[in-house]
Short mmCIF file of all heavy atoms in Angstrom, two decimals:
data_model
loop_
_atom_site.label_atom_id
_atom_site.label_comp_id
_atom_site.label_asym_id
_atom_site.label_seq_id
_atom_site.Cartn_x
_atom_site.Cartn_y
_atom_site.Cartn_z
N GLU A 68 32.00 67.51 40.46
CA GLU A 68 32.50 68.40 41.50
C GLU A 68 31.41 69.35 41.88
O GLU A 68 30.40 69.56 41.20
CB GLU A 68 33.70 69.13 40.93
CG GLU A 68 33.39 70.26 39.81
CD GLU A 68 34.68 70.93 39.48
OE1 GLU A 68 35.75 70.41 39.57
OE2 GLU A 68 34.67 72.15 39.09
N ARG A 69 31.61 70.09 43.01
CA ARG A 69 30.70 71.12 43.51
C ARG A 69 30.56 72.13 42.41
O ARG A 69 31.48 72.50 41.76
CB ARG A 69 31.32 71.72 44.82
CG ARG A 69 31.36 70.74 45.97
CD ARG A 69 32.03 71.48 47.18
NE ARG A 69 31.94 70.67 48.45
CZ ARG A 69 32.90 69.81 48.88
NH1 ARG A 69 33.93 69.59 48.06
NH2 ARG A 69 32.71 69.15 50.02
N HIS A 72 32.74 76.36 45.13
CA HIS A 72 33.58 75.88 46.20
C HIS A 72 34.08 74.48 45.88
O HIS A 72 34.32 73.67 46.78
CB HIS A 72 32.79 75.73 47.55
CG HIS A 72 32.25 77.05 48.00
ND1 HIS A 72 33.09 78.00 48.74
CD2 HIS A 72 31.12 77.64 47.87
CE1 HIS A 72 32.27 79.02 49.02
NE2 HIS A 72 31.12 78.82 48.38
N ALA A 73 34.53 74.27 44.67
CA ALA A 73 34.97 72.92 44.14
C ALA A 73 36.39 72.58 44.62
O ALA A 73 36.82 71.49 44.95
CB ALA A 73 35.00 72.82 42.65
N ARG A 74 37.13 73.66 44.96
CA ARG A 74 38.53 73.56 45.38
C ARG A 74 38.58 73.83 46.82
O ARG A 74 38.38 75.02 47.30
CB ARG A 74 39.35 74.47 44.57
CG ARG A 74 40.87 74.63 45.10
CD ARG A 74 41.60 73.39 44.73
NE ARG A 74 42.93 73.59 44.26
CZ ARG A 74 44.02 73.15 44.91
NH1 ARG A 74 43.92 72.44 46.05
NH2 ARG A 74 45.25 73.26 44.33
N GLY A 75 38.99 72.96 47.67
CA GLY A 75 38.99 73.20 49.14
C GLY A 75 39.88 72.33 49.90
O GLY A 75 40.46 71.29 49.42
N THR A 112 38.17 77.88 47.49
CA THR A 112 37.85 78.94 46.63
C THR A 112 36.52 78.78 46.07
O THR A 112 35.96 77.76 46.01
CB THR A 112 38.94 78.91 45.50
OG1 THR A 112 38.95 77.69 44.81
CG2 THR A 112 40.39 79.23 46.16
N ILE A 114 34.79 80.10 42.89
CA ILE A 114 34.49 80.04 41.49
C ILE A 114 35.28 79.03 40.66
O ILE A 114 34.69 78.27 39.86
CB ILE A 114 34.55 81.45 40.80
CG1 ILE A 114 33.62 82.36 41.40
CG2 ILE A 114 34.40 81.37 39.38
CD1 ILE A 114 32.16 81.98 41.17
N HIS A 115 36.59 78.90 41.01
CA HIS A 115 37.43 78.07 40.12
C HIS A 115 37.29 76.63 40.35
O HIS A 115 36.98 76.24 41.55
CB HIS A 115 38.94 78.65 40.19
CG HIS A 115 39.06 80.05 39.90
ND1 HIS A 115 39.05 81.09 40.80
CD2 HIS A 115 39.08 80.64 38.62
CE1 HIS A 115 39.17 82.21 40.15
NE2 HIS A 115 39.19 81.95 38.94
N GLU A 116 37.66 75.86 39.38
CA GLU A 116 37.47 74.38 39.45
C GLU A 116 38.45 73.65 40.38
O GLU A 116 39.30 74.28 40.90
CB GLU A 116 37.64 73.79 37.95
CG GLU A 116 38.87 74.06 37.32
CD GLU A 116 38.83 75.23 36.48
OE1 GLU A 116 38.08 76.14 36.75
OE2 GLU A 116 39.76 75.39 35.52
N ARG A 117 38.20 72.32 40.57
CA ARG A 117 38.80 71.62 41.57
C ARG A 117 40.42 71.62 41.43
O ARG A 117 41.11 71.55 42.39
CB ARG A 117 38.24 70.18 41.57
CG ARG A 117 38.64 69.41 42.82
CD ARG A 117 37.69 68.24 42.98
NE ARG A 117 37.74 67.30 41.94
CZ ARG A 117 36.97 66.27 41.75
NH1 ARG A 117 36.09 66.03 42.71
NH2 ARG A 117 37.05 65.43 40.78
N GLY A 118 40.91 71.66 40.32
CA GLY A 118 42.43 71.60 40.11
C GLY A 118 43.07 72.95 39.95
O GLY A 118 44.25 73.12 39.58
N SER A 119 42.30 74.01 40.26
CA SER A 119 42.79 75.45 39.98
C SER A 119 43.82 75.87 41.08
O SER A 119 43.81 75.28 42.21
CB SER A 119 41.68 76.43 39.94
OG SER A 119 40.97 76.33 41.17
N PRO A 120 44.71 76.75 40.67
CA PRO A 120 45.70 77.23 41.77
C PRO A 120 45.03 78.04 42.80
O PRO A 120 43.98 78.64 42.61
CB PRO A 120 46.60 78.24 40.97
CG PRO A 120 46.36 77.89 39.50
CD PRO A 120 44.99 77.33 39.41
N GLU A 121 45.50 77.92 44.07
CA GLU A 121 44.99 78.53 45.21
C GLU A 121 45.43 79.97 45.30
O GLU A 121 45.16 80.59 46.34
CB GLU A 121 45.28 77.79 46.46
CG GLU A 121 44.52 76.48 46.52
CD GLU A 121 44.94 75.61 47.76
OE1 GLU A 121 46.05 75.33 47.99
OE2 GLU A 121 43.86 75.15 48.47
N THR A 122 46.00 80.50 44.34
CA THR A 122 46.53 81.90 44.32
C THR A 122 45.66 82.83 43.49
O THR A 122 45.96 83.97 43.26
CB THR A 122 47.97 81.98 43.82
OG1 THR A 122 47.97 81.31 42.51
CG2 THR A 122 48.99 81.33 44.73
N LEU A 123 44.50 82.29 42.94
CA LEU A 123 43.63 83.17 42.03
C LEU A 123 42.82 83.99 42.95
O LEU A 123 42.42 83.73 43.95
CB LEU A 123 42.78 82.27 41.17
CG LEU A 123 43.54 81.30 40.21
CD1 LEU A 123 42.67 80.47 39.46
CD2 LEU A 123 44.40 82.07 39.19
N GLY A 251 52.25 80.68 43.36
CA GLY A 251 51.47 79.83 42.51
C GLY A 251 52.32 79.03 41.59
O GLY A 251 51.93 77.92 41.20
N ASN A 254 53.75 75.98 43.44
CA ASN A 254 52.78 75.05 44.13
C ASN A 254 51.40 75.54 43.91
O ASN A 254 51.03 76.49 44.57
CB ASN A 254 53.20 74.87 45.58
CG ASN A 254 52.38 73.83 46.32
OD1 ASN A 254 51.50 73.25 45.72
ND2 ASN A 254 52.58 73.72 47.59
N HIS A 255 50.60 74.81 43.14
CA HIS A 255 49.24 75.30 42.98
C HIS A 255 48.35 74.90 44.13
O HIS A 255 47.26 75.29 44.18
CB HIS A 255 48.68 74.70 41.61
CG HIS A 255 48.15 73.30 41.70
ND1 HIS A 255 49.01 72.22 41.96
CD2 HIS A 255 46.95 72.78 41.53
CE1 HIS A 255 48.25 71.14 41.92
NE2 HIS A 255 47.16 71.42 41.63
N SER A 256 48.87 74.13 45.15
CA SER A 256 48.08 73.81 46.30
C SER A 256 48.75 74.39 47.62
O SER A 256 48.81 73.73 48.65
CB SER A 256 48.01 72.26 46.42
OG SER A 256 47.32 71.74 45.25
N PHE A 322 41.09 62.43 52.35
CA PHE A 322 40.54 63.64 51.72
C PHE A 322 39.16 63.45 51.02
O PHE A 322 38.30 64.28 51.13
CB PHE A 322 41.62 64.06 50.55
CG PHE A 322 41.16 65.29 49.86
CD1 PHE A 322 41.46 66.53 50.42
CD2 PHE A 322 40.64 65.28 48.65
CE1 PHE A 322 41.20 67.69 49.67
CE2 PHE A 322 40.15 66.40 47.97
CZ PHE A 322 40.43 67.66 48.49
N GLU A 327 35.73 65.80 50.08
CA GLU A 327 34.95 65.73 48.91
C GLU A 327 33.44 65.33 49.29
O GLU A 327 32.52 65.79 48.63
CB GLU A 327 35.55 64.75 47.84
CG GLU A 327 36.78 65.33 47.18
CD GLU A 327 36.62 66.63 46.59
OE1 GLU A 327 36.07 66.84 45.54
OE2 GLU A 327 37.09 67.64 47.32
#
Side-chain angles (χ1 to χ4, degrees):
E68 72 176 28
R69 292 175 172 93
H72 300 277
R74 171 68 141 123
T112 56
I114 293 300
H115 301 100
E116 58 267 25
R117 195 160 57 184
S119 58
E121 291 179 309
T122 50
L123 298 177
N254 183 3
H255 80 298
S256 299
F322 182 81
E327 293 306 283

